[in-house]
């Protein structure tokens, strides 16, 4: 999932540099959602609620 976050960040950066603001905004929205999911899963794993194998 971290790989997808990095890919979307690169897409957002390139689109922002090329002036495609709507594409950059969409990519950043995806990044925010994925970071939220990763943080929730991390907190659940730290608290021992979910065992990640």
């Amino acid at each position: 999932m971290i790989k997808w976050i990095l890919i979307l960040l690169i897409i957002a950066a390139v689109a922002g540099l090329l002036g495609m603001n709507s594409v950059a905004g969409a990519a950043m929205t995806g990044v925010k959602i994925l970071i939220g999911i990763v943080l929730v899963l991390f907190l659940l794993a730290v608290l021992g609620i979910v065992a990640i194998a």
Side-chain angles (χ1 to χ4, degrees):
M1 197 171 299
I2 301 295
K3 185 170 122 179
W4 282 104
I5 292 172
L6 292 175
I7 290 170
L8 285 174
L9 280 173
I10 292 170
I11 290 172
V14 171
L17 288 174
L18 295 176
M20 294 183 261
N21 295 329
S22 60
V23 175
M28 285 305 296
T29 301
V31 168
K32 289 178 187 177
I33 291 170
L34 287 176
I35 287 175
I37 292 171
V38 167
L39 286 176
V40 167
L41 289 175
F42 176 73
L43 287 175
L44 290 175
V46 166
L47 295 175
I49 297 172
V50 175
I52 299 176

